[in-house]
mmCIF file with all atom_site columns, all heavy atoms in Angstrom:
data_model
loop_
_atom_site.group_PDB
_atom_site.id
_atom_site.type_symbol
_atom_site.label_atom_id
_atom_site.label_alt_id
_atom_site.label_comp_id
_atom_site.label_asym_id
_atom_site.label_entity_id
_atom_site.label_seq_id
_atom_site.pdbx_PDB_ins_code
_atom_site.Cartn_x
_atom_site.Cartn_y
_atom_site.Cartn_z
_atom_site.occupancy
_atom_site.B_iso_or_equiv
_atom_site.pdbx_formal_charge
_atom_site.auth_seq_id
_atom_site.auth_comp_id
_atom_site.auth_asym_id
_atom_site.auth_atom_id
_atom_site.pdbx_PDB_model_num
ATOM 1   N N   . LEU H 1 1  ? 20.352 220.903 42.331 1.00 0.00 ? 6  LEU H N   1
ATOM 2   C CA  . LEU H 1 1  ? 20.000 220.630 43.722 1.00 0.00 ? 6  LEU H CA  1
ATOM 3   C C   . LEU H 1 1  ? 21.206 220.001 44.409 1.00 0.00 ? 6  LEU H C   1
ATOM 4   O O   . LEU H 1 1  ? 21.858 219.098 43.869 1.00 0.00 ? 6  LEU H O   1
ATOM 5   C CB  . LEU H 1 1  ? 18.797 219.691 43.787 1.00 0.00 ? 6  LEU H CB  1
ATOM 6   C CG  . LEU H 1 1  ? 18.185 219.455 45.173 1.00 0.00 ? 6  LEU H CG  1
ATOM 7   C CD1 . LEU H 1 1  ? 17.605 220.748 45.728 1.00 0.00 ? 6  LEU H CD1 1
ATOM 8   C CD2 . LEU H 1 1  ? 17.096 218.386 45.095 1.00 0.00 ? 6  LEU H CD2 1
ATOM 9   N N   . SER H 1 2  ? 21.517 220.488 45.584 1.00 0.00 ? 7  SER H N   1
ATOM 10  C CA  . SER H 1 2  ? 22.697 220.003 46.295 1.00 0.00 ? 7  SER H CA  1
ATOM 11  C C   . SER H 1 2  ? 22.493 218.579 46.796 1.00 0.00 ? 7  SER H C   1
ATOM 12  O O   . SER H 1 2  ? 21.365 218.062 46.827 1.00 0.00 ? 7  SER H O   1
ATOM 13  C CB  . SER H 1 2  ? 22.994 220.915 47.490 1.00 0.00 ? 7  SER H CB  1
ATOM 14  O OG  . SER H 1 2  ? 22.011 220.735 48.502 1.00 0.00 ? 7  SER H OG  1
ATOM 15  N N   . GLU H 1 3  ? 23.577 217.966 47.212 1.00 0.00 ? 8  GLU H N   1
ATOM 16  C CA  . GLU H 1 3  ? 23.479 216.685 47.893 1.00 0.00 ? 8  GLU H CA  1
ATOM 17  C C   . GLU H 1 3  ? 22.915 216.891 49.300 1.00 0.00 ? 8  GLU H C   1
ATOM 18  O O   . GLU H 1 3  ? 22.894 218.002 49.830 1.00 0.00 ? 8  GLU H O   1
ATOM 19  C CB  . GLU H 1 3  ? 24.857 216.020 47.974 1.00 0.00 ? 8  GLU H CB  1
ATOM 20  C CG  . GLU H 1 3  ? 25.459 215.682 46.616 1.00 0.00 ? 8  GLU H CG  1
ATOM 21  C CD  . GLU H 1 3  ? 26.808 215.010 46.741 1.00 0.00 ? 8  GLU H CD  1
ATOM 22  O OE1 . GLU H 1 3  ? 27.318 214.929 47.891 1.00 0.00 ? 8  GLU H OE1 1
ATOM 23  O OE2 . GLU H 1 3  ? 27.352 214.576 45.715 1.00 0.00 ? 8  GLU H OE2 1
ATOM 24  N N   . VAL H 1 4  ? 22.471 215.794 49.905 1.00 0.00 ? 9  VAL H N   1
ATOM 25  C CA  . VAL H 1 4  ? 21.877 215.882 51.239 1.00 0.00 ? 9  VAL H CA  1
ATOM 26  C C   . VAL H 1 4  ? 22.978 216.132 52.267 1.00 0.00 ? 9  VAL H C   1
ATOM 27  O O   . VAL H 1 4  ? 23.993 215.433 52.296 1.00 0.00 ? 9  VAL H O   1
ATOM 28  C CB  . VAL H 1 4  ? 21.101 214.595 51.580 1.00 0.00 ? 9  VAL H CB  1
ATOM 29  C CG1 . VAL H 1 4  ? 20.545 214.657 53.002 1.00 0.00 ? 9  VAL H CG1 1
ATOM 30  C CG2 . VAL H 1 4  ? 19.973 214.384 50.583 1.00 0.00 ? 9  VAL H CG2 1
ATOM 31  N N   . ILE H 1 5  ? 22.775 217.141 53.104 1.00 0.00 ? 10 ILE H N   1
ATOM 32  C CA  . ILE H 1 5  ? 23.703 217.472 54.191 1.00 0.00 ? 10 ILE H CA  1
ATOM 33  C C   . ILE H 1 5  ? 22.991 217.174 55.509 1.00 0.00 ? 10 ILE H C   1
ATOM 34  O O   . ILE H 1 5  ? 21.888 217.660 55.749 1.00 0.00 ? 10 ILE H O   1
ATOM 35  C CB  . ILE H 1 5  ? 24.118 218.948 54.136 1.00 0.00 ? 10 ILE H CB  1
ATOM 36  C CG1 . ILE H 1 5  ? 24.764 219.261 52.775 1.00 0.00 ? 10 ILE H CG1 1
ATOM 37  C CG2 . ILE H 1 5  ? 25.068 219.287 55.267 1.00 0.00 ? 10 ILE H CG2 1
ATOM 38  C CD1 . ILE H 1 5  ? 25.046 220.723 52.583 1.00 0.00 ? 10 ILE H CD1 1
ATOM 39  N N   . THR H 1 6  ? 23.600 216.370 56.373 1.00 0.00 ? 11 THR H N   1
ATOM 40  C CA  . THR H 1 6  ? 22.984 215.983 57.641 1.00 0.00 ? 11 THR H CA  1
ATOM 41  C C   . THR H 1 6  ? 23.669 216.700 58.801 1.00 0.00 ? 11 THR H C   1
ATOM 42  O O   . THR H 1 6  ? 24.851 217.036 58.741 1.00 0.00 ? 11 THR H O   1
ATOM 43  C CB  . THR H 1 6  ? 23.062 214.468 57.853 1.00 0.00 ? 11 THR H CB  1
ATOM 44  O OG1 . THR H 1 6  ? 24.445 214.055 57.854 1.00 0.00 ? 11 THR H OG1 1
ATOM 45  C CG2 . THR H 1 6  ? 22.315 213.730 56.759 1.00 0.00 ? 11 THR H CG2 1
ATOM 46  N N   . HIS H 1 7  ? 22.875 216.914 59.858 1.00 0.00 ? 12 HIS H N   1
ATOM 47  C CA  . HIS H 1 7  ? 23.405 217.556 61.073 1.00 0.00 ? 12 HIS H CA  1
ATOM 48  C C   . HIS H 1 7  ? 22.644 216.989 62.276 1.00 0.00 ? 12 HIS H C   1
ATOM 49  O O   . HIS H 1 7  ? 21.422 216.994 62.309 1.00 0.00 ? 12 HIS H O   1
ATOM 50  C CB  . HIS H 1 7  ? 23.229 219.069 60.999 1.00 0.00 ? 12 HIS H CB  1
ATOM 51  C CG  . HIS H 1 7  ? 23.840 219.795 62.162 1.00 0.00 ? 12 HIS H CG  1
ATOM 52  N ND1 . HIS H 1 7  ? 25.176 220.120 62.214 1.00 0.00 ? 12 HIS H ND1 1
ATOM 53  C CD2 . HIS H 1 7  ? 23.294 220.234 63.327 1.00 0.00 ? 12 HIS H CD2 1
ATOM 54  C CE1 . HIS H 1 7  ? 25.424 220.746 63.350 1.00 0.00 ? 12 HIS H CE1 1
ATOM 55  N NE2 . HIS H 1 7  ? 24.307 220.824 64.047 1.00 0.00 ? 12 HIS H NE2 1
ATOM 56  N N   . GLY H 1 8  ? 23.377 216.502 63.274 1.00 0.00 ? 13 GLY H N   1
ATOM 57  C CA  . GLY H 1 8  ? 22.762 215.939 64.475 1.00 0.00 ? 13 GLY H CA  1
ATOM 58  C C   . GLY H 1 8  ? 22.225 214.536 64.240 1.00 0.00 ? 13 GLY H C   1
ATOM 59  O O   . GLY H 1 8  ? 22.476 213.908 63.202 1.00 0.00 ? 13 GLY H O   1
ATOM 60  N N   . GLU H 1 9  ? 21.462 214.045 65.215 1.00 0.00 ? 14 GLU H N   1
ATOM 61  C CA  . GLU H 1 9  ? 20.871 212.713 65.110 1.00 0.00 ? 14 GLU H CA  1
ATOM 62  C C   . GLU H 1 9  ? 19.570 212.675 65.898 1.00 0.00 ? 14 GLU H C   1
ATOM 63  O O   . GLU H 1 9  ? 19.351 213.471 66.817 1.00 0.00 ? 14 GLU H O   1
ATOM 64  C CB  . GLU H 1 9  ? 21.837 211.645 65.624 1.00 0.00 ? 14 GLU H CB  1
ATOM 65  C CG  . GLU H 1 9  ? 22.269 211.823 67.050 1.00 0.00 ? 14 GLU H CG  1
ATOM 66  C CD  . GLU H 1 9  ? 23.269 210.776 67.495 1.00 0.00 ? 14 GLU H CD  1
ATOM 67  O OE1 . GLU H 1 9  ? 23.765 210.027 66.629 1.00 0.00 ? 14 GLU H OE1 1
ATOM 68  O OE2 . GLU H 1 9  ? 23.530 210.691 68.703 1.00 0.00 ? 14 GLU H OE2 1
ATOM 69  N N   . ASN H 1 10 ? 18.711 211.750 65.504 1.00 0.00 ? 15 ASN H N   1
ATOM 70  C CA  . ASN H 1 10 ? 17.420 211.603 66.173 1.00 0.00 ? 15 ASN H CA  1
ATOM 71  C C   . ASN H 1 10 ? 17.588 210.904 67.510 1.00 0.00 ? 15 ASN H C   1
ATOM 72  O O   . ASN H 1 10 ? 18.165 209.821 67.592 1.00 0.00 ? 15 ASN H O   1
ATOM 73  C CB  . ASN H 1 10 ? 16.449 210.810 65.295 1.00 0.00 ? 15 ASN H CB  1
ATOM 74  C CG  . ASN H 1 10 ? 16.023 211.584 64.067 1.00 0.00 ? 15 ASN H CG  1
ATOM 75  O OD1 . ASN H 1 10 ? 15.844 212.798 64.134 1.00 0.00 ? 15 ASN H OD1 1
ATOM 76  N ND2 . ASN H 1 10 ? 15.838 210.895 62.945 1.00 0.00 ? 15 ASN H ND2 1
ATOM 77  N N   . ARG H 1 11 ? 17.076 211.534 68.576 1.00 0.00 ? 16 ARG H N   1
ATOM 78  C CA  . ARG H 1 11 ? 17.111 210.954 69.923 1.00 0.00 ? 16 ARG H CA  1
ATOM 79  C C   . ARG H 1 11 ? 15.826 211.340 70.655 1.00 0.00 ? 16 ARG H C   1
ATOM 80  O O   . ARG H 1 11 ? 15.434 212.507 70.656 1.00 0.00 ? 16 ARG H O   1
ATOM 81  C CB  . ARG H 1 11 ? 18.314 211.471 70.712 1.00 0.00 ? 16 ARG H CB  1
ATOM 82  C CG  . ARG H 1 11 ? 19.648 210.993 70.194 1.00 0.00 ? 16 ARG H CG  1
ATOM 83  C CD  . ARG H 1 11 ? 20.777 211.474 71.065 1.00 0.00 ? 16 ARG H CD  1
ATOM 84  N NE  . ARG H 1 11 ? 20.879 212.928 71.049 1.00 0.00 ? 16 ARG H NE  1
ATOM 85  C CZ  . ARG H 1 11 ? 21.833 213.605 71.677 1.00 0.00 ? 16 ARG H CZ  1
ATOM 86  N NH1 . ARG H 1 11 ? 22.756 212.964 72.370 1.00 0.00 ? 16 ARG H NH1 1
ATOM 87  N NH2 . ARG H 1 11 ? 21.873 214.919 71.615 1.00 0.00 ? 16 ARG H NH2 1
ATOM 88  N N   . SER H 1 12 ? 15.204 210.348 71.303 1.00 0.00 ? 17 SER H N   1
ATOM 89  C CA  . SER H 1 12 ? 13.997 210.629 72.072 1.00 0.00 ? 17 SER H CA  1
ATOM 90  C C   . SER H 1 12 ? 14.378 211.133 73.454 1.00 0.00 ? 17 SER H C   1
ATOM 91  O O   . SER H 1 12 ? 15.476 210.848 73.953 1.00 0.00 ? 17 SER H O   1
ATOM 92  C CB  . SER H 1 12 ? 13.139 209.365 72.205 1.00 0.00 ? 17 SER H CB  1
ATOM 93  O OG  . SER H 1 12 ? 13.825 208.385 72.967 1.00 0.00 ? 17 SER H OG  1
ATOM 94  N N   . PRO H 1 13 ? 13.496 211.885 74.156 1.00 0.00 ? 18 PRO H N   1
ATOM 95  C CA  . PRO H 1 13 ? 13.800 212.350 75.521 1.00 0.00 ? 18 PRO H CA  1
ATOM 96  C C   . PRO H 1 13 ? 14.086 211.215 76.482 1.00 0.00 ? 18 PRO H C   1
ATOM 97  O O   . PRO H 1 13 ? 14.906 211.341 77.387 1.00 0.00 ? 18 PRO H O   1
ATOM 98  C CB  . PRO H 1 13 ? 12.526 213.122 75.904 1.00 0.00 ? 18 PRO H CB  1
ATOM 99  C CG  . PRO H 1 13 ? 11.924 213.537 74.599 1.00 0.00 ? 18 PRO H CG  1
ATOM 100 C CD  . PRO H 1 13 ? 12.243 212.431 73.644 1.00 0.00 ? 18 PRO H CD  1
ATOM 101 N N   . ASP H 1 14 ? 13.405 210.052 76.359 1.00 0.00 ? 19 ASP H N   1
ATOM 102 C CA  . ASP H 1 14 ? 13.671 208.901 77.231 1.00 0.00 ? 19 ASP H CA  1
ATOM 103 C C   . ASP H 1 14 ? 15.098 208.405 77.063 1.00 0.00 ? 19 ASP H C   1
ATOM 104 O O   . ASP H 1 14 ? 15.764 208.019 78.036 1.00 0.00 ? 19 ASP H O   1
ATOM 105 C CB  . ASP H 1 14 ? 12.682 207.768 76.915 1.00 0.00 ? 19 ASP H CB  1
ATOM 106 C CG  . ASP H 1 14 ? 11.248 208.169 77.266 1.00 0.00 ? 19 ASP H CG  1
ATOM 107 O OD1 . ASP H 1 14 ? 11.098 209.086 78.089 1.00 0.00 ? 19 ASP H OD1 1
ATOM 108 O OD2 . ASP H 1 14 ? 10.318 207.573 76.707 1.00 0.00 ? 19 ASP H OD2 1
ATOM 109 N N   . GLU H 1 15 ? 15.566 208.421 75.829 1.00 0.00 ? 20 GLU H N   1
ATOM 110 C CA  . GLU H 1 15 ? 16.940 207.990 75.592 1.00 0.00 ? 20 GLU H CA  1
ATOM 111 C C   . GLU H 1 15 ? 17.922 208.945 76.272 1.00 0.00 ? 20 GLU H C   1
ATOM 112 O O   . GLU H 1 15 ? 18.943 208.521 76.814 1.00 0.00 ? 20 GLU H O   1
ATOM 113 C CB  . GLU H 1 15 ? 17.212 207.929 74.089 1.00 0.00 ? 20 GLU H CB  1
ATOM 114 C CG  . GLU H 1 15 ? 16.465 206.802 73.373 1.00 0.00 ? 20 GLU H CG  1
ATOM 115 C CD  . GLU H 1 15 ? 16.750 206.818 71.890 1.00 0.00 ? 20 GLU H CD  1
ATOM 116 O OE1 . GLU H 1 15 ? 17.423 207.765 71.446 1.00 0.00 ? 20 GLU H OE1 1
ATOM 117 O OE2 . GLU H 1 15 ? 16.308 205.901 71.184 1.00 0.00 ? 20 GLU H OE2 1
ATOM 118 N N   . MET H 1 16 ? 17.603 210.211 76.271 1.00 0.00 ? 21 MET H N   1
ATOM 119 C CA  . MET H 1 16 ? 18.479 211.173 76.923 1.00 0.00 ? 21 MET H CA  1
ATOM 120 C C   . MET H 1 16 ? 18.536 210.926 78.436 1.00 0.00 ? 21 MET H C   1
ATOM 121 O O   . MET H 1 16 ? 19.602 210.975 79.048 1.00 0.00 ? 21 MET H O   1
ATOM 122 C CB  . MET H 1 16 ? 17.963 212.596 76.644 1.00 0.00 ? 21 MET H CB  1
ATOM 123 C CG  . MET H 1 16 ? 18.817 213.685 77.258 1.00 0.00 ? 21 MET H CG  1
ATOM 124 S SD  . MET H 1 16 ? 20.499 213.711 76.583 1.00 0.00 ? 21 MET H SD  1
ATOM 125 C CE  . MET H 1 16 ? 20.156 214.260 74.923 1.00 0.00 ? 21 MET H CE  1
ATOM 126 N N   . LEU H 1 17 ? 17.364 210.644 79.059 1.00 0.00 ? 22 LEU H N   1
ATOM 127 C CA  . LEU H 1 17 ? 17.353 210.350 80.492 1.00 0.00 ? 22 LEU H CA  1
ATOM 128 C C   . LEU H 1 17 ? 18.137 209.078 80.793 1.00 0.00 ? 22 LEU H C   1
ATOM 129 O O   . LEU H 1 17 ? 18.825 208.976 81.806 1.00 0.00 ? 22 LEU H O   1
ATOM 130 C CB  . LEU H 1 17 ? 15.902 210.213 80.974 1.00 0.00 ? 22 LEU H CB  1
ATOM 131 C CG  . LEU H 1 17 ? 15.064 211.504 80.928 1.00 0.00 ? 22 LEU H CG  1
ATOM 132 C CD1 . LEU H 1 17 ? 13.630 211.206 81.343 1.00 0.00 ? 22 LEU H CD1 1
ATOM 133 C CD2 . LEU H 1 17 ? 15.662 212.574 81.828 1.00 0.00 ? 22 LEU H CD2 1
ATOM 134 N N   . THR H 1 18 ? 18.005 208.099 79.913 1.00 0.00 ? 23 THR H N   1
ATOM 135 C CA  . THR H 1 18 ? 18.744 206.849 80.109 1.00 0.00 ? 23 THR H CA  1
ATOM 136 C C   . THR H 1 18 ? 20.241 207.096 80.051 1.00 0.00 ? 23 THR H C   1
ATOM 137 O O   . THR H 1 18 ? 21.022 206.564 80.861 1.00 0.00 ? 23 THR H O   1
ATOM 138 C CB  . THR H 1 18 ? 18.335 205.823 79.037 1.00 0.00 ? 23 THR H CB  1
ATOM 139 O OG1 . THR H 1 18 ? 16.921 205.616 79.115 1.00 0.00 ? 23 THR H OG1 1
ATOM 140 C CG2 . THR H 1 18 ? 19.052 204.502 79.247 1.00 0.00 ? 23 THR H CG2 1
ATOM 141 N N   . VAL H 1 19 ? 20.640 207.917 79.089 1.00 0.00 ? 24 VAL H N   1
ATOM 142 C CA  . VAL H 1 19 ? 22.063 208.232 78.972 1.00 0.00 ? 24 VAL H CA  1
ATOM 143 C C   . VAL H 1 19 ? 22.553 208.943 80.226 1.00 0.00 ? 24 VAL H C   1
ATOM 144 O O   . VAL H 1 19 ? 23.636 208.648 80.767 1.00 0.00 ? 24 VAL H O   1
ATOM 145 C CB  . VAL H 1 19 ? 22.308 209.093 77.715 1.00 0.00 ? 24 VAL H CB  1
ATOM 146 C CG1 . VAL H 1 19 ? 23.730 209.627 77.708 1.00 0.00 ? 24 VAL H CG1 1
ATOM 147 C CG2 . VAL H 1 19 ? 22.037 208.289 76.461 1.00 0.00 ? 24 VAL H CG2 1
ATOM 148 N N   . ILE H 1 20 ? 21.730 209.885 80.729 1.00 0.00 ? 25 ILE H N   1
ATOM 149 C CA  . ILE H 1 20 ? 22.127 210.611 81.935 1.00 0.00 ? 25 ILE H CA  1
ATOM 150 C C   . ILE H 1 20 ? 22.220 209.666 83.128 1.00 0.00 ? 25 ILE H C   1
ATOM 151 O O   . ILE H 1 20 ? 23.157 209.729 83.935 1.00 0.00 ? 25 ILE H O   1
ATOM 152 C CB  . ILE H 1 20 ? 21.124 211.747 82.209 1.00 0.00 ? 25 ILE H CB  1
ATOM 153 C CG1 . ILE H 1 20 ? 21.229 212.803 81.106 1.00 0.00 ? 25 ILE H CG1 1
ATOM 154 C CG2 . ILE H 1 20 ? 21.382 212.377 83.577 1.00 0.00 ? 25 ILE H CG2 1
ATOM 155 C CD1 . ILE H 1 20 ? 20.197 213.885 81.206 1.00 0.00 ? 25 ILE H CD1 1
ATOM 156 N N   . ALA H 1 21 ? 21.222 208.751 83.251 1.00 0.00 ? 26 ALA H N   1
ATOM 157 C CA  . ALA H 1 21 ? 21.211 207.815 84.377 1.00 0.00 ? 26 ALA H CA  1
ATOM 158 C C   . ALA H 1 21 ? 22.404 206.874 84.353 1.00 0.00 ? 26 ALA H C   1
ATOM 159 O O   . ALA H 1 21 ? 22.837 206.372 85.392 1.00 0.00 ? 26 ALA H O   1
ATOM 160 C CB  . ALA H 1 21 ? 19.905 207.009 84.368 1.00 0.00 ? 26 ALA H CB  1
ATOM 161 N N   . ILE H 1 22 ? 22.945 206.609 83.185 1.00 0.00 ? 27 ILE H N   1
ATOM 162 C CA  . ILE H 1 22 ? 24.100 205.698 83.086 1.00 0.00 ? 27 ILE H CA  1
ATOM 163 C C   . ILE H 1 22 ? 25.407 206.467 83.240 1.00 0.00 ? 27 ILE H C   1
ATOM 164 O O   . ILE H 1 22 ? 26.319 206.046 83.954 1.00 0.00 ? 27 ILE H O   1
ATOM 165 C CB  . ILE H 1 22 ? 24.059 204.949 81.737 1.00 0.00 ? 27 ILE H CB  1
ATOM 166 C CG1 . ILE H 1 22 ? 22.845 204.001 81.707 1.00 0.00 ? 27 ILE H CG1 1
ATOM 167 C CG2 . ILE H 1 22 ? 25.347 204.165 81.525 1.00 0.00 ? 27 ILE H CG2 1
ATOM 168 C CD1 . ILE H 1 22 ? 22.651 203.333 80.362 1.00 0.00 ? 27 ILE H CD1 1
ATOM 169 N N   . VAL H 1 23 ? 25.484 207.598 82.590 1.00 0.00 ? 28 VAL H N   1
ATOM 170 C CA  . VAL H 1 23 ? 26.758 208.327 82.539 1.00 0.00 ? 28 VAL H CA  1
ATOM 171 C C   . VAL H 1 23 ? 27.071 208.995 83.867 1.00 0.00 ? 28 VAL H C   1
ATOM 172 O O   . VAL H 1 23 ? 28.218 208.954 84.344 1.00 0.00 ? 28 VAL H O   1
ATOM 173 C CB  . VAL H 1 23 ? 26.729 209.363 81.394 1.00 0.00 ? 28 VAL H CB  1
ATOM 174 C CG1 . VAL H 1 23 ? 27.965 210.252 81.448 1.00 0.00 ? 28 VAL H CG1 1
ATOM 175 C CG2 . VAL H 1 23 ? 26.646 208.653 80.055 1.00 0.00 ? 28 VAL H CG2 1
ATOM 176 N N   . VAL H 1 24 ? 26.071 209.607 84.504 1.00 0.00 ? 29 VAL H N   1
ATOM 177 C CA  . VAL H 1 24 ? 26.330 210.350 85.739 1.00 0.00 ? 29 VAL H CA  1
ATOM 178 C C   . VAL H 1 24 ? 26.893 209.453 86.844 1.00 0.00 ? 29 VAL H C   1
ATOM 179 O O   . VAL H 1 24 ? 27.894 209.799 87.490 1.00 0.00 ? 29 VAL H O   1
ATOM 180 C CB  . VAL H 1 24 ? 25.064 211.090 86.189 1.00 0.00 ? 29 VAL H CB  1
ATOM 181 C CG1 . VAL H 1 24 ? 25.244 211.673 87.588 1.00 0.00 ? 29 VAL H CG1 1
ATOM 182 C CG2 . VAL H 1 24 ? 24.718 212.193 85.197 1.00 0.00 ? 29 VAL H CG2 1
#
């Protein structure tokens, strides 16, 4: 069995809106 390979990260939709509200 291979080792664990990760891709991406967990993010909630609210966090995405917060990021947009700050970055834009």
Side-chain angles (χ1 to χ4, degrees):
L6 188 64
S7 71
E8 297 181 353
V9 177
I10 302 173
T11 60
H12 184 83
E14 59 182 10
N15 291 323
R16 292 183 296 184
S17 65
D19 294 338
E20 291 179 354
M21 181 63 69
L22 293 176
T23 302
V24 170
I25 293 174
I27 293 174
V28 172
V29 170

